[in-house]
Amino acid sequence: SSVPVGKGPLEIRARLKEMKRNFAFIDAEISHEGKVCTSCEMIYCTFSKEVAEKGLTCKVPCLSYPKIL
């Protein structure tokens, strides 16, 4: 289903599913009026504070993909 825009508040929830080395595997969903509109699985690269302050980025291809309910 689609995510309604301009029809009241949306609720966004995410949870850390797993950490492997510096990869954070996250599940997330967007709900409207108690009904889940869409969900996704994401993979984020994490860095130490020192590395992040240098402005470095993760050099792996995008591994996230949306999963529509």
Side-chain angles (χ1 to χ4, degrees):
S1 75
S2 62
V3 177
V5 178
K7 297 183 179 177
L10 298 174
E11 180 177 358
I12 301 171
R13 290 184 177 251
R15 71 176 185 88
L16 177 64
K17 187 165 79 172
E18 183 179 2
M19 283 294 299
K20 284 187 180 178
R21 298 183 317 273
N22 65 322
F23 293 101
F25 295 81
I26 300 168
D27 288 336
E29 61 186 27
I30 299 175
S31 301
H32 176 68
E33 295 181 346
K35 180 182 176 205
V36 176
C37 302
T38 190
S39 64
C40 69
E41 298 171 353
M42 301 173 282
I43 302 172
Y44 281 87
C45 295
T46 61
F47 302 99
S48 66
K49 180 179 178 182
E50 295 78 21
V51 171
E53 287 175 346
K54 290 180 183 177
L56 301 177
T57 59
C58 187
K59 301 287 192 246
V60 297
C62 180
L63 300 173
S64 301
Y65 59 93
K67 179 178 63 178
I68 307 299
L69 294 178

